[in-house]
Every structure is written in C-alpha cells, then in structure tokens.
Amino acid sequence: MSLRPTLDFLLYDWLAAESLSQRSRFADHSRETFDAVFDTCERIAREKYAPFNRTVDTQEPHFDGEKVILPQATHDAQKAYATSGMLSAAQDYEMGGMQLPYTVEAAANAFFAMASVSIGSGMLTTGNANLLMVHGTDLQKEVFAKNEFSGRFSGTMCLSEPQAGSSLSDVTTRAVPDGADHENDPLGPRYRLKGNKMWISAGEHELTDNIIHLVLAKIPGPDGKLIPGTRGISLFIVPKKLVNDKGELTGVRNDVALAGLNHKLGWRGTTNTLLNFGEGKYPVPSTGSGPAVSGAVGYLVGKPHEGLRCMFHMMNEARIGVGMAATMLGMAGYHASLEYAKNRPQGRPMGLGGKDAAQPQVRIIEHADVKRMLLAQKAYCEGALALELYCARLVDEQHTGAPEAADEARMLLEVLTPIAKSWPSEWCLEANSLAIQVHGGYGYTRDFPVEQYWRDNRLNMIHEGTHGIQGMDLLGRKVLMEGGRGLALLAARINSTIERAIQVPELAAYANALGKALQQVGSATKAAWATGKPGDALANAVPYMQAFGHTVLAWIWLDVALASIAADATKSIAACAGRLGATRYFYHYELPKIGAWLKVVETRDQTCADLPEEAF
C-alpha cells in the first residue's frame, strides 16, 4: 500500500497546491517538478530509511569514551537526505535552496517520517537554520544557516534543563560577556556560557562536520543576578567546534561536553543527550591572546533578553513537525495492520445458528470489529495528515499571499498550531494502539513493526510541549489574542464549509452536526472565562483542547469529503468511498465525544484542581 495516492489527492484535488506555481516565488515550478521531488524522496525513504527502521531501534547510540557511535545506516541515510537538497528545499536559490513551497516540502518529508522517524530527516537542523534566517545577522546566516542547509553542519535546540523541565522561567544557564570587546566579534556579540541542558536531540554525533546548538541562557543583570522569569532569557549560537567568519573550522573544540545519553522508550535511533556547557573539559582561549579558560563560546542572536521570542520561531515549526511525525507513525501502523488484516485468516462469520466450524476461516478484515479499528485508524491518520498539510499551506499563504490573506494565515496558524501538535500525538498514538490490537498476540512481538511504531509515537505527546502546555496555550492565549480574531477566522472557514456541504444531500447531516459542535465550542470558550479567573478557565484546558481538536478534524474531514465528491470519481471510486467512510465514522463515533469534554469546561469544574494532595 502506497502513501502517494493519498498525498496526491490532498495536495492537488483538495489544497490546489499546483496553483502555488502561479506565484512569483514558485514560478519555476509546476506539478511536474513537485512530483519529481516526491519521486526522489519516496525512493530515498524506501531504500535508505525503511529497511533500517528496526536496525536503529536495536542498535542504539552509544559512547565509546571519545565519540557517539551510530549505525552505518544512519550515516548513509543522512548523507542521502542532505544530497537530495531537502534540508534547504524551501530556501532562496541564493542560499542553495530550491524555492519549493513549504506545502511540498512538508509532504515530501512525510515519506521519511513514515519510513523511519527515528533515523530522522533534519527537522531540527532545518528549524535551527530557519530561525537564523529570520533573527540572525547576515554573517550568521552565511556561516551557520547556509552550512546547515547544505548538510555540512547540523543543528539542535537547547531549552530544557534538568531542574527546570518545561518551565523555561527557571533556566539557570548563564551567559557573560567574553572580554571587553565582546561586542565586536564578526559572528555576533561573544559570550561565555555555563550550564546544563537536558533532552537535547541530536546533541552529539559524528554525522556532520559540526553541530550548531541554539541555546537559551540568561545574561546577569548589573547586580550579577539572573533576571527572574522569561524576561531575562537570551538566545545564543554555540557551535560544537569553533569556526571563523568564513565558516571554516578553526581546530578549536568549544567547551561543550557530553554528560550522558538518555535511553528513551522510542526514537532510539536518535541521539538524545545531557550536555554540559562551560564545565572546563574543553577550555577555549579568550579573545586576543588570553589563556584558555572554561566557558562555552556563544554568539548572541537578536537582542539581549529577547531570546524566547526568537526561539518561538523554531519551537512553533517543531510543533508542526512533531505533529507530522506522529501522523506518519500512525499511518505506518495503519498500513501494516491493514495488510495484516487482509492476509490473516481467523474465525468464521456469525450466522443465525451461530458459527459453522465446518466452514473455512475468513480473513480478519471481514469481521466488523476489525473494520471498526481499521476505519478509526484511517480517520485519525488521514485526517491528521490533511490537517498538517493544511497548516503547511497556511505557511505558504503567510509568506507569499496578498497582505490581508497573509495576515489571516498568520492568525489561523496561531490558533491551529497547538492542535496540529497535540491532536495527532494523541489520536495517531491511539491508531498505533489499534494497529497492535488488529495484530492480536503478534502485535506485542518484534516479529511485526507495530509495537515499535507505538513506542516511537508515545514520545510525541511530550515532544515540544505536553498536552497541558498546548491546552493552556490554546485556551489561555490563542483563542483570546487580538480580541479572539483567530477563533473568529477559523469559525468563518468552518461555516464556509458547512454552507457548501449542506447543499450536498449525503453530507447535510454532517454539516448540521459540525455547526452544532462549533456553537458548543464557542459557548464553552465564553463560559470558561466567565469569571475572568485563569485558574477557573484553565483547570480543564486539556478537555477543551480535545473538543476543539475534534471539531477541527470534523471540519477537515467534511471539507475533504466535499473535494472527494467534486473530484472525478473515475480516478478511484474505492478511494472516494474510503474518504466518505472515514468522514461518516468520524461524525458517528468521534464528534459526539465533545459534549463530555466541554461540559467540565463550561461549568469550570474544579474536581481535579480542588482535590487536596493528601487525598491522592
């Protein structure tokens, strides 16, 4: 079973991605060039990634005392990916890019995430470089971002610390000026950093010539103390190996040391590290002719104390990337369990007189409950893929659309980003669980890949912000910002789909159900904030987000169903029936769940918040 027909339908029949080539930035492209990119990525994923998904799961990264060792397959895959140009696919020609729409880049990367998310396909490197393209100086772009886009360097994001976790207000990594003339370094104001960073993916390896860490740290105030909260946070480029202003390695190792490897439930092929910055293991000479001293050399990005604002550029991009990773892991499990269900004989159909043991066994896909589990997976995973590609299309609109359309896209992305991250990480994980169930007892064994897909996907509910963080972001910030404009814009798009769908007899009931769901979400939003107290509203931010996400996915499926009916049915009658079946499933089995979620939101239920600690 191939992913390609689903991608082709969503891109060309639903999102009209081919029309992007009419914009000046993408004028050199056409459907033919887009398809050529997909052909290349599909081939590399098939040859360099998929055959080694189990290899990187069982041959985890290990430290030999000098360097981190990864399987050869990871080196080969990383080289093939970099050579393909996908690291810089959406960048300007001048940066070595192809000026592809982000929609196409996101779709192309889906092949790699489905083949082996654990090997990775450069999400952090691209996100690191993209941040520098927005907030870095011209020389920082040329020296660091350009070398990341080429695959010569790789990148990380260093936020969390062992004592702080997700609470960035509590980071204690310090950055102090490196010498009296620290402001005059051509690569940016030069500082010395000391501190520890935890859970740093791809933080140490030998895959590239250099690793470029983007590190959040605090510059002490005049009294030598760190500024409390996020106001004091600044952002720094901290290379593993120092470079000159031409991007050439100087031969000096920066004071960044591997303190340990984290061994996770899944994503075992990705190095995950605890890094010590400035502990003195690799002392670096001071500017001028000074002696070598401890402290990792870092170059300021943007202005002091505006580091978190800069880092959000990478964080938001990573959140959508995590959503896509979760989606494709769910999709991989769906494809595997569908194949298994079509070929596994077990049981017999139930007749009026019970089962006839004399009859031959039937394939398990003929059982209604197995069809239920397969249809749930299809609804979750193909719906999530549509959502992620819709968000990618909004990115292109924000960057290349007319001013009003671009601003609308920006605002819609603000509201949809928590959903794009959290919804697939919950429901495509559920799809993986159902894939194991379809396999029965074999699902728990390593004879089949579905147990690994579940383990890999379980990480995504925590990657780039837990459900609690995303829920508070959605209900506490995104639906309120700019006077609720983002929520109003989303409601307008949903209502537009409802107006079209209500004219189609087979979709009218779904249109009415979606309208009621949208009204429920709006009422719950107002009720949550009726007292004006954040504690009242946010106590049930996650149920709110779950209901909000299900409403968004119901809208996505209804819009996809409209496109499916409008498309020439001769393309694939079976595919059209599958999409309409998934829409029907979502409206019959999933959308009704929002009532229970929203009830506690509307009543500002304090059951959880008020329970005293000793009662647990």
Side-chain angles (χ1 to χ4, degrees), residues 278-490:
E279 69 171 13
K281 184 173 182 178
Y282 304 103
V284 181
S286 299
T287 53
S289 57
V293 296
S294 64
V297 172
Y299 306 99
L300 183 69
V301 178
K303 297 179 181 179
H305 313 308
E306 293 188 6
L308 195 55
R309 182 181 69 84
C310 297
M311 185 58 94
F312 262 112
H313 184 96
M314 185 176 182
M315 290 165 65
N316 284 331
E317 186 174 321
R319 284 171 176 171
I320 294 177
V322 166
M324 180 63 89
T327 296
M328 300 320 299
L329 280 164
M331 191 77 79
Y334 167 54
H335 283 200
S337 62
L338 177 59
E339 183 69 19
Y340 184 84
K342 287 179 176 179
N343 291 285
R344 168 68 174 175
Q346 186 175 323
R348 293 161 181 82
M350 181 71 73
L352 291 176
K355 296 181 181 179
D356 183 356
Q359 294 296 317
Q361 290 181 317
V362 297
R363 296 167 304 136
I364 62 172
I365 198 171
E366 297 180 49
H367 298 304
D369 194 56
V370 173
K371 286 186 176 181
R372 176 190 64 82
M373 292 188 284
L374 292 170
L375 193 50
Q377 292 179 67
K378 181 180 179 70
Y380 298 151
C381 301
E382 291 188 11
L385 178 59
L387 170 65
E388 299 301 327
L389 293 177
Y390 184 86
C391 288
R393 184 66 176 77
L394 287 175
V395 172
D396 283 322
E397 196 64 35
Q398 182 182 359
H399 291 161
T400 65
E404 184 177 350
D407 191 57
E408 283 194 9
R410 173 193 63 82
M411 197 70 249
L412 284 165
L413 275 169
E414 291 278 11
V415 174
L416 288 175
T417 294
I419 302 302
K421 186 276 170 185
S422 64
W423 198 92
S425 70
E426 179 172 3
W427 296 99
C428 293
L429 175 66
E430 174 62 17
N432 288 130
S433 181
L434 290 170
I436 291 174
Q437 193 76 6
V438 169
H439 281 74
Y442 286 110
Y444 302 111
T445 72
R446 293 197 173 191
D447 297 334
F448 292 88
V450 288
E451 61 84 26
Q452 182 185 343
Y453 295 145
W454 186 92
R455 286 188 290 104
D456 284 341
N457 216 353
R458 186 58 188 82
L459 277 62
N460 287 317
M461 286 182 72
I462 294 177
H463 279 159
E464 300 310 320
T466 63
H467 265 34
I469 289 171
Q470 303 300 332
M472 287 190 288
D473 182 43
L474 178 66
L475 181 56
R477 293 182 61 248
K478 298 302 178 61
V479 299
L480 303 178
M481 65 190 301
E482 297 185 23
R485 180 167 169 255
L487 184 56
L489 285 171
L490 180 61

Side-chain angles (χ1 to χ4, degrees), residues 244-256:
N244 61 24
D245 59 8
K246 295 181 176 58
E248 299 164 337
L249 300 181
T250 64
V252 176
R253 172 74 186 263
N254 204 356
D255 197 7
V256 182

Side-chain angles (χ1 to χ4, degrees), residues 62-70 203-206 211 240-241 253 256-259 261 281-282:
H62 65 277
F63 185 57
D64 70 355
E66 294 184 4
K67 56 187 178 182
V68 171
I69 306 299
L70 292 164
E204 181 60 46
H205 54 73
E206 302 294 323
I211 301 174
K240 173 184 173 180
K241 302 173 184 177
R253 172 74 186 263
V256 182
L258 177 68
L261 295 176
K281 184 173 182 178
Y282 304 103

